[in-house]
Amino acid sequence: MLDQNLIDPDRLPIHVAIIMDGNGRWAQEKNRPRLYGHKVGVESVQKIVSCASELGIKVLTLYAFSSENWKRPSDEVSGLMALLKGYLLSELAKMVQNRVRLVSIGNTQKLPRDVREVLEKTMQETAGNDGLILNLALSYGGRDEIIRAVRNISAEVVAERLSLDEIDENLITTHLYTAGLPEPDLLIRTGGEARLSNFLLWQASYAEIYFTDTMWPDFRQEAFYDAIAEYQGRERRFGRVSAQLGSG
Ligand code: IPE
Ligand code: IPE
Ligand code: MG
């Protein structure tokens, strides 16, 4: 399965995060409705989840719906919600079989009640799984996440349970939706745009960013391997110089 020539299994990214973009344009190029692009995009999700799980990647975060995507036409929003619910219902058995644990980040209280219920049920039923952590970003916005963290931290300060000098990187990290998850090593955006669109603003500080023109419905195993291969060819310096790396 694994293309040994392309990927070094010992240097896999631990956490891969993907901005799955380009569904609408992909469909429109084919004179089909945008929702058709989202439907085929779900097939890419299925493929990439299996692929990440087989490779042994620990965390896969998928940006499925942003806090700004509520502004889209209501029929597109409801179509996306129906696809999300259908995806969760149809994948549960496979997740259990492959030991995938589903988690989510974002303001999921805003999701329609039926979708939220299926999401919660899927998270509960996969909570004990020790394989890939599949993290769905739903109604997620990086700024929204930071505002929420600042409010929660401030409340603790006001209540005198926390002092100002205890506010550090680690404390902030534990107040984000992603608390407990490692930072993304590789951040992929499909669909040709080179922007973050409010995704993982804090967490992506040192992620390797990979932009590809491939539209999400066309993004399958080979394209995923290409992204990982490119990641493995990069030097992550974290502010240091080359000569310091490898020596700790
Ligand atoms: C990404 O594809 C899916 C979501 C944002 C929900 P788009 O729907 O943004 O597709 P384009 O960018 O319009 O082609
Ligand atoms: C980002 O894509 C959000 C998701 C992929 C869920 P958008 O299509 O919403 O981003 P913009 O509007 O082009 O920045
Ligand atoms: Mg888009």
Side-chain angles (χ1 to χ4, degrees):
M1 230 10 249
L2 200 154
D3 186 343
Q4 297 291 352
N5 298 323
L6 207 61
I7 294 182
D8 176 354
D10 296 325
R11 292 176 49 247
L12 288 170
I14 291 169
H15 180 176
V16 178
I18 309 182
I19 302 174
M20 308 183 289
D21 196 24
N23 292 347
R25 281 165 288 152
W26 181 89
Q28 280 168 332
E29 272 167 26
K30 297 179 159 46
N31 293 311
R32 302 290 297 267
R34 292 178 56 84
L35 206 57
Y36 175 67
H38 295 313
K39 270 195 195 132
V40 180
V42 173
E43 293 169 25
S44 294
V45 171
Q46 290 164 331
K47 289 277 188 320
I48 299 305
V49 170
S50 311
C51 198
S53 169
E54 282 166 22
L55 277 173
I57 286 167
K58 303 283 184 236
V59 185
L60 177 68
T61 296
L62 299 178
Y63 202 6
F65 196 85
S66 75
S67 51
E68 286 72 33
N69 287 149
W70 294 112
K71 297 175 194 156
R72 291 192 178 192
S74 63
D75 58 340
E76 181 164 343
V77 172
S78 56
L80 281 164
M81 291 300 142
L83 280 175
L84 169 62
K85 184 177 168 185
Y87 169 78
L88 292 171
L89 288 172
S90 73
E91 295 302 290
L92 177 60
K94 204 162 59 175
M95 286 183 200
V96 171
Q97 193 188 344
N98 296 330
R99 309 201 319 271
V100 171
R101 175 151 73 100
L102 186 89
V103 299
S104 66
I105 55 173
N107 186 359
T108 52
Q109 293 305 313
K110 284 183 85 169
L111 296 173
R113 180 202 281 265
D114 60 326
V115 177
R116 208 170 62 225
E117 283 172 359
V118 174
L119 176 68
E120 270 156 22
K121 178 170 173 277
T122 313
M123 293 196 295
Q124 275 163 19
E125 297 197 8
T126 61
N129 292 348
D130 60 359
L132 173 75
I133 296 175
L134 173 58
N135 179 29
L136 294 184
L138 297 169
S139 190
Y140 173 86
R143 288 187 173 181
D144 176 58
E145 178 180 45
I146 291 169
I147 291 167
R148 184 175 162 274
V150 170
R151 284 194 183 139
N152 289 338
I153 292 169
S154 304
E156 291 188 40
V157 173
V158 169
E160 295 182 355
R161 285 194 298 269
L162 193 69
S163 67
L164 288 183
D165 54 10
E166 287 175 288
I167 301 176
D168 58 10
E169 276 194 24
N170 186 48
L171 182 93
I172 291 176
T173 299
T174 61
H175 282 80
L176 300 176
Y177 287 125
T178 50
L181 296 176
E183 288 180 6
D185 301 294
L186 169 61
L187 193 161
I188 298 170
R189 181 173 188 142
T190 65
E193 312 290 3
R195 54 178 173 252
L196 287 177
S197 301
N198 207 9
F199 190 45
L200 300 179
L201 297 180
W202 170 278
Q203 299 89 335
S205 288
Y206 270 102
E208 292 300 326
I209 304 186
Y210 178 86
F211 295 113
T212 171
D213 289 336
T214 303
M215 298 287 158
W216 178 251
D218 287 330
F219 192 88
R220 302 289 163 99
Q221 177 171 300
E222 203 188 319
F224 190 49
Y225 278 20
D226 284 347
I228 295 171
E230 158 130 1
Y231 164 84
Q232 293 187 330
R234 299 209 192 153
E235 183 179 66
R236 304 185 76 189
R237 289 191 289 278
F238 298 98
R240 295 168 183 258
V241 300
S242 253
Q244 294 176 296
L245 303 175
S247 57

